[in-house]
Amino acid sequence: MNDMDIQTDEDLSEAYSILEKGDVEGAKTILGRIFEAQLQGRKKNLQAQEIRFAIWCCSFWKNPLNSFPGKENIERGDSIFNQWKLFLDSKDAREGKVFTKAFFAVQKGVFSKALDAFSFSDVEGSPFQKSETLRKQGMCLKKLGEYEEAIRLLSEANTLTPSSAPVLAEMADCFALLGEEKKAKVLFREAFFIDAAKIDIDFLDSELIHCLIRQARDSGKSGNTLLEWIPVYGVLYGVFNVKRELSITEVSRLKQQIFDKENELKNPSNYSAALVPRLINMYFWLIDHYTRSGYRLGIDECLIQIRVHDENVYKMYTGTK
């Protein structure tokens, strides 16, 4: 490695350090200087592509991070969250994920700023409002790699609003990132059963859940339909294999929900592609209950209904051809 390469690496480290603090303009200045030096040296290598990607990131985030000058509040935090989704959806960001140092420097800077915004706001208001603020703080901490502290805040949020699908999904993601897969599987399964449509998968990071998201997308699913298929694939591929026992009240409620959804599906005007996977997941839960209680007839009835709704799912679930 020559002196120029050493200087480039040092400058790049400095730029990333500044970027991690959310100072995109300061980082862009250094990155621009490095890029110009590389052009003069007529070097076209992987590092030059990484620098170009980092400069693009700085340009993307310049306005979003400076849109609320002098203000740290929930509105600013929410704006940063929305921009993060646009950032992930952009072609440049998708291609640039291969440059992990640059990508995670941006992520750290962005979510440090979002955490400042959400933390500046007093956790007050209704239990739901308090829970939402804590959930968003927890999401920021997760993105910053502070998983234990994120779980602490998300647990507080869950105490305020028990059985919140978005809160449980974020807790599950943190546990998965910590390597505590058993806890993660239980919470993910619970969250997607409670209300899959309310879970924002763009903020989930663990491979445990990403493998199911990819499966759903590769199968052509999108929107709420994709969200409802995730727990179905979770069962079919053995990911959601840690289960809990339902109470008598929960079983009664589940049967009523199945009855209601079946009636919805019978009415053509109510048809939704998301209804079928939702119903299948409900039958999976009921089958688990019947399996524990040894009620074979109930299991067979559920399997018949699954087969009616989706022959392929039935075959995969039962292992038949």
Side-chain angles (χ1 to χ4, degrees):
M1 183 180 289
N2 60 38
D3 291 343
M4 183 178 178
D5 290 333
I6 293 171
Q7 186 61 50
T8 297
D9 287 343
E10 290 176 351
D11 289 344
L12 199 54
S13 294
E14 181 185 358
Y16 287 162
S17 179
I18 292 172
L19 194 52
E20 287 176 357
K21 296 179 177 66
D23 181 2
V24 292
E25 293 184 72
K28 188 177 180 181
T29 298
I30 297 173
L31 290 164
R33 188 170 67 237
I34 301 170
F35 192 65
E36 284 298 320
Q38 290 225 333
L39 286 180
Q40 289 174 12
R42 296 185 179 180
K43 282 193 167 188
K44 293 183 179 179
N45 52 27
L46 188 64
Q47 195 173 47
Q49 295 175 40
E50 177 181 349
I51 295 166
R52 188 183 292 112
F53 168 68
I55 290 172
W56 173 82
C57 290
C58 291
S59 298
F60 180 97
W61 284 103
K62 179 181 178 181
N63 288 333
L65 291 183
N66 297 313
S67 296
F68 297 81
K71 292 183 179 180
E72 296 290 356
N73 54 31
I74 289 176
E75 183 182 8
R76 184 180 189 223
D78 285 339
S79 175
I80 292 172
F81 270 28
N82 290 333
Q83 287 297 318
W84 180 255
K85 295 176 73 170
L86 294 176
F87 174 71
L88 292 181
D89 284 342
S90 65
K91 179 175 178 290
D92 295 271
R94 289 197 301 272
E95 293 177 351
K97 273 192 174 184
V98 297
F99 304 117
T100 55
K101 287 184 180 179
F103 187 86
F104 286 110
V106 173
Q107 179 171 293
K108 188 169 183 179
V110 167
F111 285 97
S112 292
K113 290 294 184 182
L115 181 61
D116 288 343
F118 291 126
S119 299
F120 190 86
S121 306
D122 291 332
V123 182
E124 58 184 15
S126 68
F128 174 77
Q129 290 171 322
K130 293 178 184 177
S131 176
E132 276 295 279
T133 301
L134 288 166
R135 178 177 70 88
K136 290 169 183 176
Q137 289 175 359
M139 290 168 71
C140 292
L141 287 165
K142 183 191 72 175
K143 290 290 187 181
L144 297 174
E146 299 179 33
Y147 306 131
E148 291 90 349
E149 181 62 12
I151 289 171
R152 186 184 70 79
L153 294 185
L154 290 165
S155 296
E156 286 185 39
N158 187 53
T159 300
L160 289 167
T161 55
S163 300
S164 163
V167 172
L168 293 177
E170 286 296 332
M171 287 179 68
D173 206 36
C174 288
F175 279 120
L177 291 165
L178 283 169
E180 297 188 44
E181 288 204 349
K182 186 174 182 180
K183 291 180 181 178
K185 288 178 177 182
V186 169
L187 290 172
F188 268 135
R189 187 169 182 265
E190 195 80 23
F192 277 95
F193 177 72
I194 291 168
D195 197 339
K198 287 186 178 178
I199 298 172
D200 196 337
I201 58 174
D202 288 330
F203 286 91
L204 300 178
D205 295 327
S206 62
E207 181 57 26
L208 178 69
I209 198 66
H210 272 211
C211 68
L212 300 179
I213 295 170
R214 284 195 299 271
Q215 181 62 48
R217 283 182 171 147
D218 291 347
S219 300
K221 310 298 191 299
S222 61
N224 281 351
T225 302
L226 180 149
L227 292 170
E228 297 292 355
W229 274 104
I230 288 172
V232 174
Y233 289 128
V235 172
L236 295 178
Y237 291 99
V239 178
F240 289 0
N241 58 357
V242 182
K243 304 164 185 178
R244 68 170 179 85
E245 189 168 353
L246 297 175
S247 67
I248 294 174
T249 303
E250 287 176 314
V251 172
S252 177
R253 189 187 306 127
L254 177 57
K255 289 179 178 178
Q256 183 61 50
Q257 289 174 331
I258 288 173
F259 178 79
D260 293 340
K261 293 297 180 186
E262 287 286 5
N263 283 333
E264 276 187 58
L265 208 54
K266 289 174 184 176
N267 186 339
S269 64
N270 290 333
Y271 178 78
S272 166
L275 268 178
V276 170
R278 180 66 175 157
L279 253 174
I280 291 172
N281 191 39
M282 289 179 177
Y283 281 121
F284 283 163
W285 278 72
L286 193 53
I287 287 172
D288 291 338
H289 167 71
Y290 286 149
T291 300
R292 283 192 180 90
S293 59
Y295 184 34
R296 184 67 230 181
L297 180 59
I299 295 172
D300 290 340
E301 288 174 349
C302 289
L303 289 174
I304 289 169
Q305 290 304 113
I306 290 173
R307 189 169 194 173
V308 167
H309 293 304
D310 195 303
E311 181 79 16
N312 288 330
V313 169
Y314 169 81
K315 288 179 179 179
M316 288 181 69
Y317 187 70
T318 59
T320 56
K321 294 181 180 181

